[in-house]
């Protein structure tokens, strides 16, 4: 994830590496004959959780400063646990906007508001004027998402091919977990 002003997009998995991970995690998991363990690859397993779980849908992240962020990779917030209850932080406009926009893509192999749908994150952050909570060097959403645009574009056709090869990938109503 190319998060931070100095992050290098060159370190992102290339298309072949990501597709390898998609198949490899399913091989390790091996529902038939494998180990009884649900190894999980958060970026390639959106089909099991209906896409992105962030923004308080099923998960959020609190940084060392107390800022309540949508996800460990999404360093934006207008709520801090030193100023309000966690319940109030979970109701912040950023989380509401996040949940309203989910799923960010009908193809759960493109779940992320940042990595695979970078325009979505810029729109959400701008709509509620969320502040950067990056403790090292505040980064604007346009700068962050600009690093993901070509990745998102290149990954889209591969994700679409994999989705078609996997008939289990179905979109469920909001808030409902797909069948395992
Ligand atoms: S914001 Fe992206 S990385 Fe975070 S939970 Fe959602 S899909 Fe995963």
């Amino acid at each position: 994830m190319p998060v931070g002003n100095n992050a290098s997009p060159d370190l992102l998995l290339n298309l072949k590496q990501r597709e390898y991970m998609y198949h490899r995690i399913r091989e390790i998991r091996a529902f038939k004959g494998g180990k009884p363990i649900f190894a999980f690859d958060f970026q390639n397993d959106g089909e099991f959780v209906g896409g992105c779980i962030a923004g308080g849908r099923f998960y959020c992240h609190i940084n060392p400063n107390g800022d309540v962020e949508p996800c460990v990779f999404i360093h934006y917030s207008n709520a801090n646990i030193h100023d309000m209850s966690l319940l109030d932080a979970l109701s912040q406009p950023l989380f509401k906007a996040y949940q309203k926009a989910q799923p960010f893509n009908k193809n759960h192999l493109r779940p992320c508001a940042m990595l695979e749908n970078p325009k979505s994150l810029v729109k959400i952050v701008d709509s509620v004027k969320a502040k950067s909570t990056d403790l090292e060097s505040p980064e604007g959403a346009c700068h962050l998402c600009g690093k993901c645009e070509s990745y998102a574009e290149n990954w889209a056709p591969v994700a679409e091919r994999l989705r078609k090869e996997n008939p289990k990938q179905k979109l469920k109503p909001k808030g409902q977990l797909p069948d395992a």
Side-chain angles (χ1 to χ4, degrees):
M1 293 296 211
V3 178
N5 279 318
N6 294 323
S8 170
D10 295 344
L11 295 175
L12 279 164
L13 295 189
N14 64 35
L15 300 183
K16 278 192 176 166
Q17 288 168 332
R18 178 152 176 194
E19 186 171 351
Y20 169 82
M21 283 301 299
Y22 170 83
H23 292 298
R24 180 67 180 136
I25 197 75
R26 282 157 179 76
E27 187 186 357
I28 292 168
R29 196 179 295 148
F31 286 131
K32 290 177 190 165
K35 301 280 183 197
I37 181 172
F38 195 93
F40 199 84
D41 172 1
F42 74 93
Q43 211 64 26
N44 286 320
D45 276 337
E47 68 181 279
F48 296 103
V49 290
C52 170
I53 58 172
R57 180 175 164 241
F58 292 124
Y59 148 79
C60 69
H61 177 252
I62 303 175
N63 74 9
N65 195 41
D67 300 308
V68 184
E69 305 166 327
C71 167
V72 69
F73 299 114
I74 309 291
H75 298 170
Y76 300 95
S77 180
N78 283 330
N80 189 292
I81 50 167
H82 297 297
D83 305 326
M84 61 182 75
S85 69
L86 181 57
L87 204 56
D88 285 341
L90 286 168
S91 302
Q92 64 172 302
L94 175 62
F95 280 22
K96 287 185 177 159
Y98 226 86
Q99 289 173 34
K100 195 172 170 202
Q102 287 164 327
F104 301 110
N105 202 297
K106 289 185 178 177
N107 183 341
H108 293 324
L109 287 168
R110 299 168 64 197
C112 189
M114 177 187 91
L115 189 63
E116 293 104 356
N117 304 278
K119 286 187 176 55
S120 299
L121 184 61
V122 174
K123 207 168 152 187
I124 290 169
V125 168
D126 285 354
S127 73
V128 297
K129 296 189 174 26
K131 290 180 299 193
S132 171
T133 45
D134 191 307
L135 299 174
E136 195 180 72
S137 166
E139 180 178 32
C142 279
H143 185 267
L144 170 66
C145 293
K147 288 175 282 183
C148 302
E149 275 171 13
S150 67
Y151 178 92
E153 201 177 316
N154 294 334
W155 173 246
V158 182
E160 193 51 24
R161 172 171 55 75
L162 292 171
R163 186 191 67 78
K164 284 181 180 156
E165 289 169 6
N166 177 4
K168 279 188 174 174
Q169 223 201 89
K170 291 184 194 138
L171 188 66
K172 289 275 180 174
K174 277 193 173 191
Q176 190 177 337
L177 288 171
D179 303 326

